[in-house]
Amino acid sequence: MTSNYRAEEIFQLQFCQENPKFSPLDSIILLTFDDNYLDQSVNLMLSVAKYHPSGVSFVCTCPVLKESSIDILMGLPIGVQVKCYDFALDLEMGRWALSAVLRLFSPWLLSEDIHRVLYMDSDILCCGSLRELFDTNVPCIAMCNEISGNTGKYQQDVIRPILPSHIYCNSGVVLFNLDYLRQNHSFNEVFSELLRRNGVFHYLDQDLLNVYFRDNLLVLNAFHYNFQPHELKGTPFFKNALRNCRLIHFSVGKPWLYKSRLYLMRLYLKHSSYPPMIAKVKKTVAKRILYLPIATGRRMLSPIKQAILAARENR
């Protein structure tokens, strides 16, 4: 029997509140996160506000958040709306949390007086004006081409047979034309496709956006709007891309994890404005500096260890 899924039944709204500065008439940025990524998300929001002191509001669609997290969001000096959801289905999505797929269903979860949204991952920081991006004419959705080498083999084995002649895109930044999606697609068909592809796609929501909307996907310049420094460090493109980018995506090498690279931590700090996140990364920098001699020693000893093991095997 064919199911008829409804957004309000699958994603059950538990909480909705906005602060006085929020306006649906602003350019809307969509974030999806849980309590674990609150500090990163607030840091992103403040980095955007630095270049857009007015005319931009944020919608946060999240699993149920702690009251303290909501208080922080409502107290920000920028327009914020928070919508918290419970997921009605007991669906195994592997490493993907509910917050990871909420962006897929923004056309049916957000108010109909919001016509377009710019989605961003919480591990992004803004370093320039997004006005040109906000004003981009998007027929359906728009994403930046993927520049990460980590997805190469996966694309070749799984995605390329499905998309033989299409550019594969990263979903860290997505422009959604909500009006078009509401008029031409239903929640039921997109959610049914998610269920069908669950367990097949490794990058569940990113792959679904690429595959399902492949014929209506506008490709944006990744060097401007989804610059991934870890992927380009050491290439001729790095300095020029860093100079001209507007959004920096710390997709690999999270700056708040001590095994990340120091240049990523310093780059993140350069564009950070939220004191708790600045303190967290500075603490990580200190830990990383202490860890460097240990890591260097291990790298130096590794060839010796391998030589000893090889000698034992050859006895």
Side-chain angles (χ1 to χ4, degrees), residues 119-252:
Y119 166 84
M120 297 184 202
D121 279 353
S122 294
D123 55 359
I124 287 174
L125 285 180
C126 182
C127 56
S129 172
L130 302 176
R131 187 52 53 195
E132 185 177 345
L133 181 58
F134 286 135
D135 293 340
T136 300
N137 181 22
V138 181
C140 179
I141 70 169
M143 300 191 289
C144 296
N145 53 297
E146 176 64 85
I147 61 174
S148 172
N150 292 331
T151 64
K153 187 176 187 306
Y154 171 73
Q155 287 184 47
Q156 180 179 340
D157 295 344
V158 178
I159 301 299
R160 190 52 57 199
I162 305 173
L163 302 175
S165 59
H166 290 74
I167 296 174
Y168 184 76
C169 292
N170 181 283
S171 61
V173 176
V174 189
L175 261 173
F176 290 94
N177 182 334
L178 301 183
D179 287 342
Y180 176 89
L181 290 163
R182 289 164 182 150
Q183 293 166 11
N184 294 276
H185 300 276
S186 70
F187 172 85
N188 180 64
E189 65 183 66
V190 178
F191 188 74
S192 297
E193 186 69 7
L194 174 74
L195 296 180
R196 190 170 78 87
R197 301 288 189 175
N198 185 36
V200 177
F201 285 161
H202 180 67
Y203 304 100
L204 183 57
D205 53 336
Q206 176 170 293
D207 290 342
L208 190 63
L209 285 167
N210 274 277
V211 171
Y212 195 76
F213 298 108
R214 59 185 177 272
D215 295 324
N216 289 294
L217 197 160
L218 176 67
V219 180
L220 303 171
N221 187 336
F223 290 165
H224 287 173
Y225 300 120
N226 198 339
F227 172 54
Q228 300 176 65
H230 178 83
E231 303 297 339
L232 291 176
K233 182 68 172 176
T235 72
F237 306 108
F238 184 83
K239 288 185 178 179
N240 186 57
L242 185 59
R243 186 164 47 248
N244 294 294
C245 69
R246 298 293 178 265
L247 294 171
I248 305 174
H249 189 184
F250 296 86
S251 54
V252 178

Side-chain angles (χ1 to χ4, degrees), residues 256-283:
W256 47 91
L257 301 179
Y258 82 96
K259 288 190 177 181
S260 182
R261 298 297 181 92
L262 279 172
Y263 80 88
L264 291 173
M265 298 177 187
R266 289 166 178 154
L267 182 59
Y268 190 84
L269 285 172
K270 179 181 179 180
H271 298 286
S272 292
S273 303
Y274 187 47
M277 200 65 216
I278 292 172
K280 183 182 293 187
V281 176
K282 283 185 174 180
K283 185 177 179 180

Side-chain angles (χ1 to χ4, degrees), residues 77-137:
I78 50 180
V80 180
Q81 180 186 76
V82 178
K83 305 184 80 169
C84 296
Y85 295 89
D86 267 342
F87 195 33
L89 291 185
D90 184 18
L91 180 64
E92 176 57 49
M93 294 190 295
R95 67 191 183 111
W96 302 110
L98 169 62
S99 57
V101 299
L102 279 169
R103 61 181 155 181
L104 281 171
F105 306 106
S106 55
W108 305 281
L109 297 178
L110 303 188
S111 169
E112 292 199 357
D113 59 0
I114 297 176
H115 307 287
R116 290 161 49 101
V117 293
L118 172 61
Y119 166 84
M120 297 184 202
D121 279 353
S122 294
D123 55 359
I124 287 174
L125 285 180
C126 182
C127 56
S129 172
L130 302 176
R131 187 52 53 195
E132 185 177 345
L133 181 58
F134 286 135
D135 293 340
T136 300
N137 181 22

Side-chain angles (χ1 to χ4, degrees), residues 38-40 42-44 46 72 76 272-279:
L38 174 71
D39 287 347
Q40 291 88 337
V42 172
N43 200 29
L44 166 57
L46 293 178
I72 289 171
L76 291 174
S272 292
S273 303
Y274 187 47
M277 200 65 216
I278 292 172

